[in-house]
Amino acid sequence: MCGIIGCFGTNGVAEPAARSVLEGLRRLEYRGYDSAGVAALDGCTLVVRKDVGYVDQVAVRFELEDMTGTVAVGHTRWATHGGVTQGNAHPHTDMAGRIAVVHNGIIENYRALRDDLTDAGVVFRSETDTEVIPHLLAMAMADGCPSLAEAVRKVCARLQGSYAFLALSADGGGTMVGVRKDNPLVVGFGDSQIFVASDVLAFGPMASRMAPLLDGEIVEVTMAGVRFFDVYGSELAKNSDAVDIVWANTDRNGHPHYMLKEIFEQPRAVCECGAGEDDSLVDAALAILGARQVVFTACGTSRHASLIGRYFFSKIARRFADVVMASEFGYFARSLNPQTVVIAVSQSGETADVIAGVKLARQAGAHVVSVVNRPACLLEEMGDHVIRLGCGAEVGVAATKTFTCEVIVFYLLAHAMVNRLKQGRANVERAGELLGELLQGLNGGLWKLAADLKGRDHFYYIGRGVNFAAAMEGALKLKEISYIHAEGMPAGELKHGTLALIEPGTPIMAICPNDETHAETISNATEAKARGAFIIGVSDLPSEVFDYWIKIPAVSPLLYPVLLIPPLQLFAYHMAVARGCDPDKPRNLAKSVTVK
Ligand code: M6R
């Protein structure tokens, strides 16, 4: 949550830094979009422009494109401390306006620090936790710190919580310093510009090489170049890697929204998923087979994929695994031990609850398998084994292709556990081909269905076995982007309470492909229809009970979720558009949830 980027033009001929920062902010907007701002050093003057709204709205209102100078930092916000106001938007400055700070994360002890600073005469201009940082930095400099980097190191010793922040000082011709703890920060090297940002996506096309910072490491950028320091202040040598151009591509390819583009990328992503990951899959499979207990931990969509994964483990490899939602994981920490394998699943690789759970797992001596999509993420650093989804950047806040690829990874992992990886791959490839054909023919019908149902207030999604987790995911997509109440549940649970909510016309998505769950789910749908429900069947088989049929092709039984979730994503997408919602930027949400 919150995206930060800084740009330092090192040769004086690069285009104004603010323009590059603005471009980076547009690419970071998936991390938060309630306000935005830029601080640029113009000569000796630090100019700050910020306001509530999307990056482009603020850019137009305050002419951010026209800010001059070769050093700038910028921020796109997802509010945690303090409402969505201009005053709370970043950058924040010290009282003299000589140091500007942009921050992602939470400073947990900010109240105590704020009290100390207030006692020392500081006047605060915002309600944020962040504002303590520029004031502390200014004080450290006034107390004789020899450099901004050293001031940052000193100030970090007083900060509790998680953070990645950039400080820009107007003194000495301009200095930009970045540091991180439990939040990502990556340095990018362009021809004539140095970037420091929350994600490589931010500077993707503008830099050719990148170097992620580790916790406690500090980067300092001045006219003299880039230097890295460790947590003790000693200078570090750091290697850089080439920026993955494919990953950094955030083009919408003619689609009106990222979500639609990402839905249609799924057939290819499915076929290519896990390519080059055979060794990781086999190593992880061996670790799982050798473990006493196996636990998935994840949030949201990644948790739904994990719920499907546990069925695969049981059905294909006869291994029981539990799924604990990451925000609850800590409460089970006492039952972890060195015989536990924790499969931590996060497309962003930086979800705070998942990271916190993995820390506890590591403390207990458990083995960690990280399943991630974003390169160079925190979870990747923390895994004993790392399996990459490899499906390219997902920008829409609603997870689509990463869900499908997580499901595929678990399917392959289960096959690796029984030494049938090749067979698993062949099944997956077939599913990918079928999905391609399905999506081509489906769009118009789902658009019409959405237009008919856009006024409904409640939806229920039901399924059994792997399709129960798919039901949960279908419901999450609908509520997340179209703001309609939707519940996903095991079909057999309907009659244990929820049936009381069914009224004439209540839409129920009955997920009942031709697998072992079909007949019983149809029975449950029929019970609901007897109470007036409007049944939308998602299946390869027709049924009299369906008022509307979303027809999918037949596939190897456990792979049905790969074919039936994309139509549900598409339905949710059309519902959002039909209701005038922006599917890429749902209200109150952000893609990377880096706060607990
Ligand atoms: O990056 P992660 O996979 O850890 O994200 C977990 C959830 O925040 C995420 O899946 C969320 O539920 C999505 N916005 C759902 O579409």
Side-chain angles (χ1 to χ4, degrees), residues 15-333:
E15 71 168 359
R19 214 168 284 168
S20 304
V21 162
L22 189 56
E23 176 56 26
L25 289 180
R26 290 189 182 108
R27 299 165 67 88
L28 281 175
E29 224 175 358
Y30 72 90
R31 302 179 72 91
Y33 32 81
D34 59 43
S35 20
V38 173
L41 184 58
D42 194 358
C44 294
T45 312
L46 199 53
V47 179
V48 178
R49 297 181 186 171
K50 59 184 187 176
D51 204 353
V52 299
Y54 290 175
V55 170
D56 276 330
Q57 294 168 336
V58 179
V60 169
R61 222 175 290 146
F62 287 91
E63 299 175 333
L64 300 185
E65 288 268 4
D66 299 335
M67 293 174 84
T68 50
T70 53
V71 198
V73 294
H75 189 269
T76 177
R77 181 171 189 240
W78 186 86
T80 58
H81 291 65
V84 181
T85 63
Q86 186 182 36
N88 289 334
H90 298 216
H92 293 283
T93 58
D94 68 314
M95 292 223 293
R98 303 298 293 161
I99 297 175
V101 168
V102 289
H103 164 225
N104 169 32
I106 290 179
I107 307 302
E108 284 164 7
N109 60 334
Y110 82 101
R111 279 185 197 285
L113 294 170
R114 202 177 161 109
D115 289 347
D116 289 353
L117 286 161
T118 306
D119 289 346
V122 169
V123 178
F124 279 81
R125 283 163 297 190
S126 79
E127 299 150 337
T128 64
D129 52 337
T130 304
E131 198 189 334
V132 297
I133 302 174
H135 296 306
L136 288 170
L137 289 173
M139 262 184 181
M141 293 302 284
D143 285 349
C145 256
S147 67
L148 183 65
E150 186 54 19
V152 164
R153 201 175 71 79
K154 284 227 160 91
V155 166
C156 285
R158 296 189 64 187
L159 303 180
Q160 290 164 13
S162 64
Y163 50 79
F165 71 79
L166 286 172
L168 166 55
S169 165
D171 295 327
T175 303
M176 179 170 78
V177 173
V179 67
R180 74 155 242 207
K181 177 175 169 271
D182 296 337
N183 272 301
L185 206 56
V186 191
V187 181
F189 302 87
D191 286 345
S192 55
Q193 291 176 311
I194 302 295
F195 299 92
V196 187
S198 302
D199 186 337
V200 63
L201 270 187
F203 52 70
M206 302 181 276
S208 52
R209 301 198 67 80
M210 57 156 229
L213 286 192
L214 297 180
D215 270 357
E217 289 181 354
I218 290 173
V219 58
E220 176 200 71
V221 194
T222 63
M223 282 305 278
V226 187
R227 296 167 79 196
F228 294 95
F229 301 94
D230 69 12
V231 69
Y232 306 107
S234 306
E235 193 156 350
L236 275 177
K238 244 178 135 56
N239 294 328
S240 63
D241 296 316
V243 170
D244 180 343
I245 299 297
V246 177
W247 170 266
N249 178 13
T250 56
D251 200 349
R252 278 205 303 261
N253 288 345
H255 291 279
H257 296 100
Y258 282 111
M259 184 179 177
L260 196 59
K261 173 196 166 221
E262 288 156 6
I263 288 173
F264 279 96
E265 280 174 344
Q266 287 177 107
R268 184 160 166 212
V270 165
C271 293
E272 292 176 357
C273 180
E277 296 291 301
D278 278 13
D279 289 348
S280 313
L281 287 165
V282 170
D283 287 351
L286 291 174
I288 292 167
L289 290 172
R292 283 256 177 84
Q293 55 179 357
V294 180
V295 190
F296 288 86
T297 187
C299 299
T301 289
S302 291
R303 186 175 75 90
H304 296 154
S306 305
L307 286 168
I308 294 178
R310 84 190 278 232
Y311 283 99
F312 292 162
F313 282 19
S314 172
K315 292 263 173 207
I316 298 166
R318 298 181 180 208
R319 288 289 309 191
F320 178 78
D322 213 337
V323 179
V324 179
M325 70 175 66
S327 54
E328 294 293 308
F329 189 83
Y331 307 113
F332 292 96

